[in-house]
Amino acid sequence: MMIVPAVSVPVSNLTQKQESEAIMSDQNFNLDQYLEELKPLINVDCGTWTPAGVSKVADIMTEKYQGIGWQVTRHSFDEKVGPGLLATNKPEAEEYDIMLIGHLDTVFPEGTVAEWSLSQDGEKAYGPGVADMKSGQLNMFKAISQLPEDVADRLSICVCMNPDEEIGSIYSGDWLKSIASKSRYVLVAEAARADGSLVKARKGMASYKVEFNGKAAHAGNEPEKGISAITELAHWITTLNQETNFEIGTTLNFGVVKGGSAGNVVPDYASTVLDIRFWDNDDYARLEKKIQNMLENPSLRGIKIELTREAHKPAFTPNEGSEKLMALIEKTGQDMGLNITWQAVGGGSDANLTGSLGVPTIDGLGPIGGAMHSRNEFLVLDSIEPRLNLLRNVLINLSETITR
Ligand SMILES: [Zn+2]
């Protein structure tokens, strides 16, 4: 189903003041209709590892963007995950003024929808992905489809919808980065925080699996012939835990430890999972060097260490460009009577990938939601319309700053 753009007056005949009033009051928003449109995006199992469901969501979004005359290109990454979509109003463009990002997947496994589907009470809607981030996905589409024609003509916009954000965009990350590197601004429509804040910064993270292979020996008869994997592991824990620095926000956590077989055996195997969070990408680079050094120079002679970095997202923090973008968003909110507040958050998103490239990036431009990744996930109903209007007005105001 295609929804007709809801701009009530032809904008071109108006003075600037009338124009800004026209774009700020969208009389045609209908919550029931919105939720009806949201339903097929929620009531489909589309966890990252359910590519068929992600593909169905991609089909729905393709139809929507094609319905407003945009070109949609489908990208396959890996058969384990669903497709990605790139929708654009300027198929010939070599660069984009604005890149919008929204992921198609959720964290919920197959079978979830049969037990838990879209529902609502007076204040909130509930359901898998209702805030993270199907409503953000729908808000992006609606904001775009309601742009005044001259604004849409002036801007080259692309919307990238990826299938694997919830597993760290391990398949789509390079694709997103390559498009971001030829975009002026990146807007990510993950949900606004529960207090309404937008997201200006996200911590970086890295996760490692470390395995230690030593040599078993009888702990009573000939302990001197053993090489204790657990002793080396303990050396790693005590050494690296000293690197935690709450002040600058670098924290290390050994979250899993396994190893050994019996009290009277020198353990020949141990493993651990190390999780690092950081604000400062340089401090992480320093730590990575230290870890490499520990790998190459073990404290015990003869021990073998295997290190696998299983996930990595750089931190993104505001630069000069994103501070200008923040000011524009604040001003846009002010003109609508919406007080814009900001949060720097610990969890990652695709904003980490684009923001760390230095491309001005703001996240949290979806409606307000919370309890993500749990069966209590919710979407605040009366935030849908103002956040949709905010996103649309930000696009309009950005179009005025862009000169060629
Ligand atoms: Zn998300």
Side-chain angles (χ1 to χ4, degrees), residues 103 105 131-133 165-166 189-191 202 348-350 372-373:
H103 59 87
D105 59 328
D132 185 12
M133 60 168 285
E165 193 275 343
E166 296 295 2
E190 295 274 6
R202 287 185 182 272
S349 85
D350 288 321
M372 265 89 87
H373 299 191

Side-chain angles (χ1 to χ4, degrees), residues 192-229:
R193 312 298 288 178
D195 71 351
S197 293
L198 274 62
V199 177
K200 62 173 180 179
R202 287 185 182 272
K203 259 189 163 181
M205 70 85 62
S207 170
Y208 296 88
K209 183 173 189 195
V210 200
E211 291 179 284
F212 302 87
N213 284 287
K215 194 173 159 216
H218 193 293
N221 294 334
E222 40 186 18
E224 71 284 357
K225 292 197 173 153
I227 304 169
S228 169

Side-chain angles (χ1 to χ4, degrees), residues 214-271:
K215 194 173 159 216
H218 193 293
N221 294 334
E222 40 186 18
E224 71 284 357
K225 292 197 173 153
I227 304 169
S228 169
I230 289 179
T231 299
E232 184 68 17
L233 182 151
H235 168 68
W236 275 58
I237 293 176
T238 50
T239 306
L240 286 172
N241 271 349
Q242 291 173 30
E243 297 292 341
T244 282
N245 181 336
F246 292 115
E247 230 155 83
I248 63 166
T250 299
T251 57
L252 293 86
N253 183 54
F254 286 89
V256 181
V257 163
K258 289 180 188 162
S261 57
N264 61 358
V265 180
V266 175
D268 65 350
Y269 179 81
S271 69

